[in-house]
Amino acid sequence: MIAVTAMLLYVFAPALIAVGASWERVSEIQPWWLAAMAVSQALSIWCLWRLQAIAIGTEDHFAVATSQLTGGALGRVIPGGSATAAAAQYGMFAAATDDEVRRSAVATGLAMATALQVAGLCALPLLALPAVLLGLKLPGTFAQTALLGLAVFAGMALITALANRSEPILHAAGDVIGWIGARIPHFNPPEHLGDLLVSVRNDARERLGSKLPEAVAATLGRWIFDFLVLVSAVLAVGASPDLWLLLLAFFTAQLLAQVAITPGGIGVVEAGLTGALAVAGLTGPQAAIATLAYRLFNYGLMLPAGLVGWALHRRRLALAGREEFDPDELLGPSS
């Protein structure tokens, strides 16, 4: 993983250097634009906290916030850190919360929140559909990524609908995974996986229930406010591209970030976003400055925020006389 990360950073080094060279220009951005970016980023993160709280089935937003900030910061500094970030958030939440939330609900809730985020991201091109129908001409790159995102969204929606309506499909999926697991060394899916999938489905349905509209709103808010960070950065550098092209540029960069191996997508996102902004109509210098300003809030400031979240988490544990979560509690004495 480290070798692949190093290779990718080497490949994207020119883009990183070009974006980094714009730092002095970023410091010239007017304070009100910086304030707008900060507020938009804060609202995006708050929507993410609310989404996770709904998916887990808790009202302990303090535990959700501190664990998400810390896990998110960890995922931004470790190659391929998404899994580590999720594990860190799970452990911190399990140690800190006072809610009577089953630990399995925490794990499935975080997974549900992640799935909803991906679905919400892939649905963003739908917002530009009216403009396209009214004559907006899309560059080929944006058209291809939009179609890819919509295909992923449609696939996720179809799988969700089938899983929600048909228990035999879940049992069949469990049987297939079990059959594959028996033929792959060191891959041991749990027994009766089909029954487990049905149980997880029922649990998720019960937790979302009447809160599904709020969960959808939080999902969209998470991405729309993040998009407004980029809009503020673009306006701050004096550019005025078509809003819908800017939305598709944002979508393209975020789609890259979902599959990036480098920590926090560093290098990959900068290269992708700079190129996408250029396609949307920004000049090279404008695209570089706007990208760096956006990443300052989307990436850079989340690192110290994660440190603050970890400190608050540790203080809460100390005041409650608790210790950090021990994974051996789940694995058993033999581990």
Side-chain angles (χ1 to χ4, degrees), residues 239-263:
S240 54
D242 186 282
L243 180 64
W244 304 115
L245 290 181
L246 189 57
L247 175 67
L248 293 175
F250 169 81
F251 168 73
T252 301
Q254 288 297 337
L255 201 61
L256 287 172
Q258 302 307 305
V259 296
I261 296 176
T262 57

Side-chain angles (χ1 to χ4, degrees), residues 26-108:
V26 172
S27 64
E28 299 173 2
I29 291 178
Q30 296 296 333
W32 52 81
W33 288 121
L34 296 176
M37 284 185 270
V39 170
S40 297
Q41 185 65 53
L43 289 172
S44 174
I45 296 300
W46 183 89
C47 288
L48 175 56
W49 295 342
R50 185 57 192 153
L51 172 61
Q52 290 187 342
I54 294 171
I56 294 172
T58 181
E59 292 299 325
D60 191 348
H61 287 81
F62 185 88
V64 172
T66 54
S67 61
Q68 187 281 321
L69 286 175
T70 307
L74 188 63
R76 284 172 168 82
V77 297
I78 295 178
S82 298
T84 304
Q89 183 174 5
Y90 171 84
M92 290 178 64
F93 186 90
T97 186
D98 292 319
D99 279 3
E100 293 295 327
V101 178
R102 291 182 294 109
R103 284 171 178 167
S104 61
V106 179
T108 56

Side-chain angles (χ1 to χ4, degrees), residues 103-291:
R103 284 171 178 167
S104 61
V106 179
T108 56
L110 292 175
M112 253 198 310
T114 300
L116 284 170
Q117 284 187 82
V118 174
L121 173 64
C122 292
L124 284 183
L126 289 174
L127 298 178
L129 184 59
V132 174
L133 294 177
L134 291 175
L136 175 67
K137 294 185 177 180
L138 296 183
T141 302
F142 288 171
Q144 293 169 5
T145 54
L147 289 174
L148 174 61
L150 292 176
V152 172
F153 174 75
M156 294 182 70
L158 177 61
I159 292 172
T160 301
L162 292 174
N164 189 48
R165 292 179 177 274
S166 176
E167 290 188 8
I169 289 180
L170 293 175
H171 282 106
D175 292 340
V176 170
I177 295 173
W179 181 84
I180 294 174
R183 287 157 177 77
I184 299 178
H186 309 297
F187 177 48
N188 301 308
E191 296 182 3
H192 309 294
L193 182 56
D195 293 335
L196 179 60
L197 291 175
V198 172
S199 176
V200 169
R201 189 275 314 268
N202 294 339
D203 189 32
R205 181 191 291 172
E206 180 180 353
R207 265 181 283 149
L208 287 178
S210 61
K211 290 188 176 181
L212 182 59
E214 185 181 358
V216 172
T219 301
L220 293 177
R222 183 260 184 276
W223 291 117
I224 290 174
F225 284 120
D226 198 356
F227 171 58
L228 291 179
V229 178
L230 180 61
V231 171
S232 300
V234 168
L235 294 178
V237 300
S240 54
D242 186 282
L243 180 64
W244 304 115
L245 290 181
L246 189 57
L247 175 67
L248 293 175
F250 169 81
F251 168 73
T252 301
Q254 288 297 337
L255 201 61
L256 287 172
Q258 302 307 305
V259 296
I261 296 176
T262 57
I266 190 168
V268 179
V269 174
E270 283 77 9
L273 183 56
T274 303
L277 290 178
V279 173
L282 276 70
T283 64
Q286 286 177 331
I289 298 169
T291 296

Side-chain angles (χ1 to χ4, degrees), residues 5-16:
T5 298
M7 181 184 68
L8 288 175
L9 288 177
Y10 175 78
V11 170
F12 291 105
L16 274 174

